[in-house]
Each structure stands twice: as structure tokens, then as C-alpha cells.
Amino acid sequence: MKKKIILMIFMTITVACTNQGGEDESASPESFCYVADRFADIEVLRYQIPAFESLSQQQKQLIYHLSEAALMGRDILYDQNNRYNLAIRRSLEAIYQHYTGDRNSAEFKALETYLKRVWFANGIHHHYAEDKFKPGFTESFFRRCIRQLDASLLPLRKGQSVNRWLAEITPVIFRPNIMSKRTVQSGNGDLIAASSNNYYGPGVTMKEVEAFYAAQKDPSDPRPVSFGLNSQLIKENGKLVEKVWKAGGMYTEAIEKITDELHKAAAFAENVDQKAVIEKLIEFYQTGNLKTFDAYAILWVQDVHSEVDFINGFTETYGDPLGMKASWEAHVNFVNREATKRTKIISNNAQWFEDHSPTDPRFKKKEVKGVSAKVITVAMLGGDCYPATPIGINLPNADWIRREHGSKSVTIENITEAYDKASQGNGFREEFVWSNEELNLIAKYGFVTDNLHTDLHECLGHGSGIILPGVDPDGLKAYSSTLEEARADLFALYYLADEKLVKLDLTPHAEAYKAEYYKYIMNGLMTQLVRIEAGKKVEEAHMRNRQLIAKWVYEKGQPAKVIELKKRDGKTYIVINDYEALRDLFGQLLAEVQRIKSEGDYEAGRQLVETYGVTVDAVLHEEVLKRYAALNIAPYRGFVNPVMKPVRNGKGEIINIVLDYSEGYVEQMLRYSREYSFLPTYN
């Protein structure tokens, strides 16, 4: 999935919640309690599902079963992220629920925070920074807690004693140098050996992986499958073997539950096209055949008339250092009819945008096919979309499918609305924005242009351009994700300032784009640094993308002082002196990034990312962290899901689905572990 993660850093709401919504899904935004929890660097929010009651009973039941399928695969992502994640989560949950000591002690509170972080990140590594969490409790405390538990509550291996299990698990939690980073995306070493995710077995090297999949590829095949997408690659008796994620294969216990719910969902499909999509996905889960996956993706792209839509499966490859193996994720939604008028205008003009792009004509699509875009209301988040979620999605990932059949793009407006409603009046903008001129622009146009940026990023940016014949779509390797996100962001930034958007009535004023330009540069050069610990480099692909763009245009615009870093009262601020020149710089960089992708120029891509996207200005970083700390704002946000409750008649048949917004973060996580945990601890 091509995703755009929210760009802004938002406020923390500290007021008490007076109305949690209960089963009344129509609770007004003013009374709705958006904040569910706050811990470490995380704030957990709630989102509403507007217009759910206006759906038909058939649509509600379809959404319900798709939502159940979205939760059934939860354990898959934990195991993909690290082979010890399920063991650690289950042991921490056992302590949390059965600990008989002082639950107000500093060590127990630290363990509680650690568990909340593990839940949020789907494992022991930070969901964004990729670093392993540092427990605030001691190893001796953890050992005491474990020994107080009945052994039946612990995730022991068969025949394993508690002491031997502790000897295995405690170094993973407490030793900083063991499995220190979930995914390493750059450097000259073996990226697979340096990463601690579970996509590859122990002892598998990067060279072996590259050779294994290179041997399977046919450079002359115009429709290659996504090799390695749905499997773990391990060594057995010294030979590389794929353990395919399918029914009867790896993760079968969860996949069988997913397909059971998909079968139920198919009975409530809105039309034959949607039913065919669901049935083809079931077939893929049953066979693991990647050609079947492509057939499913094509059917999914072509289903543009269904109001309810979903994603379920092995989709996004950000977690693999080589960008091949996909994390499991799920997303259920329905169309926001009114807001979709905006994206329909964009998709209807896709060819114009492609033709007028500042990229080389050799790299443009002569005929843009099947670009569909809509604004959606999310109804359930799962896997790698939960608790932290994208605000925009563009699929499928296969370039040949996009070329021949098109793509779907969505902007998730009830999520952006939840961010916005929970983020008003915190002092963040006043702390980091240069003057009232920029503050007024952002207040007036910021929400509109941010959503429009997402629309353009997903609908047009990811859907633009071509890869030249014979170029390996995986040729950019570890830098692929960063460069693809940069390409989509640059496309959106370039066109945000185009008079075409005013003529299409997409922006309310010719100056509106300046709000997004200012926010983007401020974020890329400065404020996103609050998400990085002092002394660390930028690791996450979206953050690298934003810094790459901001630093490149800052440097290239220096002779004319297009952008300046100015000091006032000892604080650094962004000042944009020439917005038109900045747009031109965005266009120049877009042309180069498109060339790199179209030609598969690995070395140029590597140089671009490493030069501009990775290294942090230590002095500026320290200043930003200090200023941000004084605001008491959580730099990361995610969500709890509403609870969908089926209403049954006297015969036990479901006759309605009602929503309950009152479930707390801890309650939800523990319930999910009880009701949706199907995998063995060690896979």
C-alpha cells in the first residue's frame, strides 16, 4: 500500500470526557470523547463513524463480517515484526492481569507503560522509529513477576521450564544490543542481518535473498508476480525454503479464521463484482498463489461501484529491508459521498495532470487508465493499520497492474477529522510558526490543503509515471519506499500551487497552497525531529522522504534565499521568501526522482536518500526537542476501534449492528488478545 502518514504534530487534549458516545453513534463532535489514553510518546484517540446508521442492513452486516476478518489476523503482524513478540506480549498480559503486588509501585507502572507501547507498536520495537523499547522496570522485577505466576499462564515452549524460558526471553527485552532495530533500511552492511523482523530466518543473508529471488525473475515478463510477498524465507539443512503464509501453511490458524469471516461477508456483498473480489481473496488465502493475488488485485481495482470497500492481507512492504515481503493489514470502509465529489474531479482530470507534469516525457503515461479516487469513512482498522493508521491509501503496488488496470486512491476523512478535532488550540503553531501571516494562512486553509495534499499524493502521485521496459521494479531495494513516497509527495506539492486547482474549484483561493507549503517545510526541516531521540538518525521511510524533500529544496534555493532559517529570541524558525520559486524546486526534484524510478538508478537514489534524508542537524534537533517538551504534546497518535455489536432476533439472526464508542485502550487490547489470538506463540 502506498500510504501518506499524517504530517502534522498535534495537541494533547487534557479535559475530562463528559460523553463517551456509548451506543449512540450520532454523538456530536462537541460532546464526543476523542482521547482514550496517553502514555510515553503516544496519545490514543477515538474516531467516529458518521452516517453508519444511514447504511442498509445488508451493508452493515457486510461491514461487520469484514471487520471481524480485519481483527482475526492481529497475531500475524506481531509475529512478522519479531519472532519473540507474541511470547513477550502474552507474558506481559499475564503479569498485568494476575499481578498481586503493589500495582501503584513505580516498577509496575513502568511495566504497564511498556505493555501499552508493545500493544501500540504490535511488538517490542517503536512503530515509527524502529528502535527497541527500553523497559523502565528492572530485569529482577520482571523475573519476580513471572515466578509469581502459575506456569500455565506463561507462553512456554513444550517441555521448557520457567527458568529456561526466562533465560531465553529476558535478553530480548533487556539487552540493548540484541534485536536492537526492527528494520534497518540503509547502510553498507547486511540489512537483513541487522534487522530483527521475522521475514527471514536466522542465518539468512541479504546476498542469499537477492540471489534466491533474482533466479526466479524473468526480465522479459511484462506482468511479473510480487516474488516473496507472502512468505518467510528460512534455511533448512542449509537450503533456502519459503514458508508460505496461507491456509495449511504458516499462519494457517489465523488465516482460516479470516477466510471464515470472508465467506460470511460474501453472502452480504453489494453486487457480483464485490462478491468476486471477496471470493478471489479467499482463493488466494487458500492457495498462496501470487498469480491469484494479482487476479484479486485486478478485480479489486475494477470494483468501483461498491459503496463498502476493504483491504485484507499481505499488502505493504515497508517492514522488509528489501521491500519485498508484506506485512498483514486490514481496513474496512465505506464511501463519503459528499466529500468524494472532490476526488472525483481529480481522477477525472488525471490525464491533464500527467501530461503537464515537469517530468521527462519518456517517463509519462501516454494513457492514464482506471484512476479512481474517493473519500472514505473508516469503520475498522486492523493489522498494520492499527492502532496507528494512514490517512490515505493507494493500491495496488504492482506497477504493471497500475499501468494496465489503474489504481484506487482514498482519503480517510473521519480519521483526519478526529486528528483535527483533538488538536485545536495547543500552542504548537504559535511556538514554531514564524509570524501571524503564516498562522492565519494555516488557520484558514490548513485543513483543506492537507486533505487535498493527501488526495493528490494518493490518487495522482502514486499513480503517475512509468518504469521503463526491462527495469527491475525491485531495483531500488532498501531505498524504494522512501523514493516512492517522495515522488508522490512532490507530485502533490507541485500541483497544489497550480491555477488548475482553483479553476476546478478544489482550492478556495490562489494563495491557499502556501499553508501546506509552509507546514511541509517546517515539518521536514524541523518539527518532525520531535519523533527522533537525540543522537539518532532518521530511519522511517515517510520521515526520510519529508526531510529529503525539505533539505534538498532548502539547499538548492540558498543562492536566492528561497527558504531561510531565521533566529528570534534564540529560537529557529522557517521563513519562505519565494513560494513560486519553491514550487519550481519541487518540480525539479520531482523530475529527478521520477527519472531514478523510471530508470531504476539505484546509485542515484541511494545518494539522494543518504545525503538529504538520513542525517540530523544535532544542534537544531536539541533545540526542537527542548521547545517541544515544554508543550507537553504526544508526537505520535493512534486509535481504538469502535465496538460493533450485533443485535439478534429471537431466532439468533443478526438484524442490526450498533456501535459502542466507550471501550478504553487497555480494555480493547486485552479483549482482542482474548478473542482474536489464534497463532501459537512460536511459529
Side-chain angles (χ1 to χ4, degrees):
M1 187 196 324
K2 306 296 192 289
K3 300 190 230 184
K4 178 197 174 191
I5 304 300
I6 194 73
L7 301 183
M8 291 292 291
I9 305 297
F10 294 97
M11 72 171 287
T12 297
I13 298 291
T14 57
V15 297
C17 297
T18 57
N19 183 343
Q20 293 190 329
E23 294 186 5
D24 178 14
E25 61 84 28
S26 62
S28 70
E30 289 75 20
S31 64
F32 185 78
C33 175
Y34 284 97
V35 179
D37 206 344
R38 169 75 189 270
F39 53 90
D41 57 355
I42 301 294
E43 186 173 59
V44 182
L45 305 177
R46 293 181 174 88
Y47 62 90
Q48 291 182 290
I49 311 180
F52 184 79
E53 277 303 315
S54 67
L55 300 174
S56 69
Q57 290 305 313
Q58 178 183 346
Q59 289 173 318
K60 287 182 182 180
Q61 293 208 48
L62 172 62
I63 288 173
Y64 172 73
H65 290 297
L66 290 174
S67 295
E68 287 293 288
L71 300 175
M72 296 294 182
R74 178 177 183 243
D75 283 354
I76 294 175
L77 181 63
Y78 274 87
D79 193 72
Q80 288 179 316
N81 283 342
N82 185 271
R83 66 180 181 270
Y84 286 106
N85 275 340
L86 287 174
I88 292 171
R89 189 195 82 197
R90 288 167 176 168
S91 62
L92 291 168
E93 288 172 345
I95 294 171
Y96 184 80
Q97 294 176 92
H98 300 282
Y99 181 69
T100 58
D102 181 4
R103 300 179 73 88
N104 291 315
S105 69
E107 291 225 89
F108 183 82
K109 287 295 185 184
L111 184 141
E112 180 181 32
T113 297
Y114 184 83
L115 173 57
K116 287 182 176 183
R117 299 185 80 183
V118 168
W119 282 330
F120 193 91
N122 297 289
I124 61 174
H125 297 87
H126 197 282
H127 73 289
Y128 217 68
E130 307 274 357
D131 295 314
K132 189 168 72 172
F133 297 130
K134 298 175 183 177
F137 53 96
T138 63
E139 184 175 336
S140 61
F141 176 75
F142 178 74
R143 288 176 176 272
R144 288 198 306 274
C145 290
I146 291 295
R147 291 195 174 103
Q148 288 175 5
L149 296 173
D150 188 299
S152 64
L153 298 172
L154 296 174
L156 305 178
R157 297 182 188 274
K158 187 176 181 180
Q160 189 178 39
S161 69
V162 173
N163 284 339
R164 292 193 67 177
W165 180 83
L166 281 168
E168 180 182 6
I169 212 76
T170 52
V172 179
I173 298 174
F174 293 98
R175 304 294 183 270
N177 61 330
I178 295 177
M179 296 184 169
S180 59
K181 210 163 195 65
R182 186 175 70 192
T183 303
V184 175
Q185 306 235 10
S186 64
N188 297 320
D190 188 317
L191 301 183
I192 290 175
S195 301
S196 61
N197 58 52
N198 199 25
Y199 293 123
Y200 304 95
V204 176
T205 68
M206 186 166 71
K207 286 185 178 180
E208 289 174 326
V209 174
E210 291 175 338
F212 180 84
Y213 287 113
Q216 299 180 43
K217 294 179 180 179
D218 178 0
S220 65
D221 185 356
R223 301 178 182 89
V225 299
S226 301
F227 289 102
L229 186 78
N230 64 328
S231 67
Q232 182 192 52
L233 189 62
I234 65 169
K235 277 186 179 178
E236 287 184 353
N237 300 318
K239 183 180 179 181
L240 290 175
V241 176
E242 283 188 303
K243 294 175 67 177
V244 179
W245 305 326
K246 64 173 185 173
M250 190 173 180
Y251 301 143
T252 184
E253 300 88 350
I255 289 172
E256 289 172 23
K257 297 290 186 181
I258 295 168
T259 56
D260 284 347
E261 289 298 329
L262 290 175
H263 277 296
K264 294 175 184 176
F268 296 98
E270 297 175 90
N271 51 60
V272 293
D273 290 342
Q274 188 180 64
K275 187 175 183 181
V277 171
I278 297 171
E279 290 174 343
K280 188 59 68 173
L281 177 59
I282 292 170
E283 182 184 342
F284 169 64
Y285 270 133
Q286 291 172 336
T287 65
N289 188 301
L290 288 171
K291 286 189 177 294
T292 303
F293 176 78
D294 287 344
Y296 151 72
I298 292 168
L299 289 174
W300 181 81
V301 165
Q302 293 173 338
D303 177 19
V304 295
H305 300 296
S306 300
E307 290 201 11
V308 176
D309 209 346
F310 73 103
I311 296 162
N312 189 299
F314 305 106
T315 308
E316 191 57 83
T317 60
Y318 290 109
D320 177 6
L322 299 185
M324 300 176 71
K325 301 193 174 296
S327 60
W328 187 87
E329 62 184 77
H331 194 282
V332 185
N333 60 79
F334 58 93
V335 68
N336 179 329
R337 295 190 190 98
E338 184 60 32
T340 292
K341 294 176 183 177
R342 180 182 77 229
T343 53
K344 187 172 178 58
I345 293 171
I346 293 172
S347 58
N348 286 345
N349 287 273
Q351 190 67 59
W352 185 92
F353 287 103
E354 182 78 0
D355 292 344
H356 290 81
S357 168
T359 58
D360 190 305
R362 293 180 301 142
F363 310 140
K364 295 180 182 181
K365 288 181 175 176
K366 301 300 184 286
E367 182 183 359
V368 178
K369 294 182 180 180
V371 173
S372 66
K374 57 188 176 182
V375 178
I376 61 169
T377 297
V378 68
M380 189 62 66
L381 303 168
D384 213 3
C385 290
Y386 171 84
T389 177
I391 62 170
I393 298 169
N394 179 274
L395 279 173
N397 285 332
D399 284 290
W400 72 266
I401 296 179
R402 301 165 74 83
R403 180 181 68 245
E404 296 183 16
H405 301 279
S407 62
K408 274 188 192 177
S409 302
V410 300
T411 299
I412 313 170
E413 196 146 300
N414 64 324
I415 293 296
T416 60
E417 182 179 20
Y419 280 130
D420 187 64
K421 294 292 185 182
S423 306
Q424 297 172 1
N426 63 327
F428 170 80
R429 291 174 181 172
E430 288 76 8
E431 175 60 39
F432 287 101
V433 174
W434 171 247
S435 74
N436 286 333
E437 181 181 352
E438 289 87 359
L439 283 170
N440 291 335
L441 272 171
I442 294 169
K444 194 170 185 180
Y445 302 120
F447 184 68
V448 172
T449 55
D450 197 46
N451 276 336
L452 187 56
H453 185 166
T454 303
D455 296 338
L456 293 167
H457 173 111
E458 302 296 349
C459 179
L460 302 181
H462 284 309
S464 66
I466 61 169
I467 294 178
L468 296 180
V471 173
D472 184 354
D474 299 319
L476 298 178
K477 301 178 183 179
Y479 301 102
S480 176
S481 294
T482 296
L483 292 167
E484 175 58 26
E485 291 304 317
R487 191 175 73 95
D489 258 358
L490 286 162
F491 198 99
L493 289 165
Y494 180 77
Y495 278 114
L496 269 174
D498 201 289
E499 63 180 12
K500 179 77 169 180
L501 298 191
V502 180
K503 292 178 180 178
L504 293 174
D505 207 23
L506 292 170
T507 48
H509 192 277
E511 301 287 295
Y513 77 94
K514 293 181 179 180
E516 186 68 6
Y517 273 27
Y518 190 87
K519 287 193 302 177
Y520 195 94
I521 296 299
M522 181 178 72
N523 192 40
L525 286 180
M526 286 182 58
T527 54
Q528 74 168 5
L529 295 178
V530 303
R531 297 182 166 194
I532 303 172
E533 293 181 18
K536 299 281 188 179
K537 294 182 178 181
V538 184
E539 296 286 352
E540 200 276 333
H542 295 84
M543 292 181 71
R544 284 185 169 188
N545 144 51
R546 293 190 287 267
Q547 179 171 288
L548 183 161
I549 291 172
K551 276 196 167 185
W552 191 93
V553 296
Y554 172 73
E555 179 187 287
K556 302 303 179 184
Q558 276 301 287
K561 296 190 182 301
V562 174
I563 302 168
E564 289 186 88
L565 293 175
K566 287 190 176 181
K567 290 277 190 178
R568 185 175 63 210
D569 300 327
K571 297 179 179 180
T572 306
Y573 297 88
I574 301 296
V575 177
I576 299 176
N577 295 312
D578 192 335
Y579 282 90
E580 291 183 8
L582 178 55
R583 188 205 182 196
D584 183 63
L585 289 168
F586 285 145
Q588 292 177 39
L589 184 55
L590 171 59
E592 173 60 6
V593 173
Q594 181 63 64
R595 183 199 68 78
I596 288 169
K597 175 157 185 173
S598 295
E599 296 180 346
D601 190 342
Y602 171 81
E603 184 55 33
R606 186 189 71 81
Q607 287 283 353
L608 196 60
V609 175
E610 293 289 348
T611 302
Y612 297 100
V614 178
T615 305
V616 175
D617 181 324
V619 175
L620 180 60
H621 191 189
E622 182 181 3
E623 177 196 325
V624 170
L625 289 175
K626 183 178 179 181
R627 291 165 66 183
Y628 189 78
L631 298 173
N632 190 32
I633 303 173
Y636 298 99
R637 282 179 160 176
F639 294 88
V640 290
N641 286 314
V643 181
M644 292 189 178
K645 294 184 175 181
V647 178
R648 300 179 186 274
N649 61 18
K651 299 178 182 179
E653 300 166 332
I654 297 175
I655 58 172
N656 195 14
I657 306 295
V658 297
L659 301 177
D660 183 351
Y661 294 104
S662 64
E663 189 169 50
Y665 176 66
V666 172
E667 293 173 276
Q668 183 157 108
M669 290 299 179
L670 290 175
R671 181 172 66 85
Y672 282 4
S673 291
R674 288 193 308 270
E675 298 179 5
Y676 302 105
S677 190
F678 307 110
L679 294 186
T681 301
Y682 307 98
N683 292 279

